[in-house]
Amino acid sequence: MISNINKSLLIIFLCCLYLSASNILVAEDLNQLQIKPEINTQQQETQTTSLEEVTLIDYFIPKNYTLTLEDSLNMSLENNSAFNVTKKDTQIYKIRAKKTALTFLPVLNTSLSFIYQKDYSKVGDGDIIEIPYIGPVDFGGFDAEDNWKRYYSLTAIQPITGLLRRYHWKKIADLSFEQALLDEELTGQNTAMTVYTSYFEALAAKYQIEALKQNVEELTKSYNIASIRYEEGTTIKRDKQKVEVELDKVKFQLFAKENEYQENINKLKNAIAIKQEDNLQLVTQYQPLEYKISVDEATKIALDNNQELQKSVLRLKMAKHSKNELYNNYIPDINLSLNYVNQAGSDYMPPNNFTLSFDMNYNVFDWGQRELTIKEHQLEIDKLDLTNKDLVEVLKMDMKQKYNRFKEAEMLIELSKKAVGLAEHNLEISLLRYRDGYELITEVLSDQSDLAKARSDYYQALFYEQITIADLKKSMGILLPSQ
């Protein structure tokens, strides 16, 4: 029995040795493959990687972006699907305007026919019999001959009175193209505003994170001072615990602000159409307004450039052309037609035949429908005219509100800056008095909290001003970088 056990152990040992050797050989083969990536031509069919797999691998590799505000705006206008859709609409309306211009040209129609038929000719006179209710009938004979016939015709029709109608159609098509351009620009403005908002909110959060980190460092110093004083017996344990709790609160605020920053970064990624897995860094710093402008100047620019107001004006113009086009219903439609026919194989028509004709069509009585239709369009014009006047007043009011928010943001920056300086001074005095035993820890923590809030408000005010400037420019119609 012992020998059998030894044999079994020997077999197991040899198997383990074989497996270990196999693993070593496989590992060496893998290392060789990593060092020498060349593929043997005989095994190429089994080792090639499909292009689809390579594309998927490249897609999931995160990319790194370091973007300025201008880069972000350009990427959003290049990749945003809604903006690209409006660009396609603009191209469609441009083609429609060109097609409408072609309706002024004559209508040309040509046809070519080959007909195989029998020509019948009378070959003799027969008896003529009077049939009641029908008349005399000749019972003579007829001869039939097979023959090919060819007919070719060319017709040209030029509308005369219809040219006025086509003029209004052409103007409406041109105005529709201008409206499509405004829609494209307005969509670009809205896309740009989303980028501005996300970008500056992310920058504000970024600066606030730095302020909170500074606050953590200062509270850590306060905690160390409280710990030293507690060990020296010059303060109670509760002061040390208060600082520790306040430090934990600020660390939580830092964590929440980092989440807020990431949320704004993700919104910006979506606006500029890059993957959420990609890394994005912002490099634009705070920039003050480049020029000073009054509310009256801003309102005047808005009345000249605002896309919504311009679209409303275009709708009014199109409505007027639609109404004027209806007056053509009171004018007869007159068309000039030229017809040329060339035939071969028939003895009944000349080889070349020209025909010049005038066509006139007029509905004499329509039970007053034309007049009612014109009145209906006039009411639409009146509605659009009132809408335009309301839009002008709404735009003026909107400009005043946005301009006031911009001025408030400017004032808030100065106030926040002064508040930061005062809070820093108060905290410095509180720390000195607390170190010397003349101040309670609650006063230090209160001043520390005031400083943290002042810093956060300052950075928020800085970039809130940038957002109000962007909003003001959007109403003025000058937000896009190309403008």
Side-chain angles (χ1 to χ4, degrees), residues 109-356:
N109 183 27
T110 183
S111 65
L112 176 63
S113 302
F114 290 93
I115 302 174
Y116 179 77
Q117 69 178 31
K118 293 180 180 294
D119 283 343
Y120 293 91
S121 59
K122 189 174 182 180
V123 297
D125 293 333
D127 296 333
I128 299 176
I129 301 175
E130 185 74 23
I131 299 177
Y133 304 107
I134 296 178
V137 178
D138 186 359
F139 286 92
F142 289 88
D143 186 21
E145 180 183 357
D146 295 340
N147 191 14
W148 280 98
K149 298 176 176 59
R150 174 182 59 81
Y151 293 94
Y152 171 72
S153 66
L154 176 64
T155 304
I157 302 174
Q158 175 62 59
I160 298 177
T161 53
L163 292 176
L164 183 59
R165 174 176 280 113
R166 284 166 173 77
Y167 165 76
H168 292 295
W169 291 349
K170 176 65 170 60
K171 296 301 292 183
I172 292 174
D174 291 340
L175 293 171
S176 298
F177 171 61
E178 292 183 29
Q179 187 176 20
L181 285 174
L182 289 174
D183 284 332
E184 177 184 335
E185 189 174 355
L186 184 60
T187 305
Q189 297 262 11
N190 292 332
T191 303
M193 190 64 205
T194 302
V195 173
Y196 270 96
T197 303
S198 301
Y199 199 100
F200 287 128
E201 286 182 351
L203 277 181
K206 181 180 179 180
Y207 278 84
Q208 288 171 329
I209 288 172
E210 297 301 321
L212 286 170
K213 288 181 179 179
Q214 187 176 356
N215 195 20
V216 168
E217 293 178 0
E218 293 168 349
L219 278 172
T220 302
K221 293 179 181 179
S222 300
Y223 177 75
N224 293 334
I225 294 173
S227 299
I228 293 173
R229 289 196 59 193
Y230 172 70
E231 292 175 359
E232 293 175 349
T234 57
T235 187
I236 58 178
K237 185 178 181 180
R238 186 174 59 183
D239 289 353
K240 177 184 174 182
Q241 291 175 339
K242 286 181 179 180
V243 181
E244 186 176 8
V245 170
E246 191 67 26
L247 180 59
D248 291 338
K249 287 182 181 179
V250 175
K251 288 180 179 179
F252 173 76
Q253 292 174 0
L254 177 61
F255 175 76
K257 187 59 66 174
E258 288 174 343
N259 286 340
E260 180 182 336
Y261 170 75
Q262 192 59 49
E263 288 176 1
N264 289 314
I265 288 292
N266 292 337
K267 290 180 182 178
L268 185 58
K269 289 179 180 179
N270 184 60
I272 62 180
I274 65 174
K275 300 193 299 293
Q276 293 293 322
E277 295 81 8
D278 294 338
N279 300 315
L280 177 59
Q281 296 292 330
L282 310 183
V283 296
T284 299
Q285 305 297 320
Y286 166 76
Q287 296 291 337
L289 189 63
E290 299 175 357
Y291 58 91
K292 299 297 182 181
I293 189 172
S294 66
V295 63
D296 293 333
E297 292 172 337
T299 303
K300 184 179 182 303
I301 295 175
L303 293 176
D304 293 336
N305 298 329
N306 184 267
Q307 287 78 21
E308 289 291 352
L309 182 59
Q310 289 180 343
K311 284 172 57 179
S312 183
V313 172
L314 290 178
R315 285 192 292 267
L316 178 60
K317 291 181 179 179
M318 285 189 284
K320 290 180 178 179
H321 281 289
S322 296
K323 175 195 169 184
N324 293 333
E325 185 268 332
L326 293 174
Y327 286 110
N328 287 271
N329 296 328
Y330 288 99
I331 304 173
D333 287 333
I334 301 177
N335 299 316
L336 175 65
S337 301
L338 175 65
N339 187 38
Y340 164 72
V341 178
N342 175 269
Q343 61 85 30
S346 175
D347 298 331
Y348 303 105
M349 295 178 62
N352 296 296
N353 187 14
F354 291 92
T355 304
L356 180 64

Side-chain angles (χ1 to χ4, degrees), residues 47-71:
Q47 295 186 9
T48 54
T49 304
S50 67
L51 180 61
E52 183 178 6
E53 292 176 352
V54 174
T55 304
L56 289 175
I57 292 174
D58 293 339
Y59 177 81
F60 286 107
I61 296 177
K63 297 180 180 179
N64 298 318
Y65 293 92
T66 302
L67 302 179
T68 63
L69 176 61
E70 185 177 358
D71 294 335

Side-chain angles (χ1 to χ4, degrees), residues 388-404:
N388 284 347
K389 293 178 180 178
D390 290 341
L391 278 176
V392 169
E393 296 303 319
V394 170
L395 183 59
K396 290 179 179 178
M397 181 180 66
D398 183 62
M399 288 301 299
K400 290 181 180 179
Q401 292 176 348
K402 291 180 178 179
Y403 189 85
N404 289 336

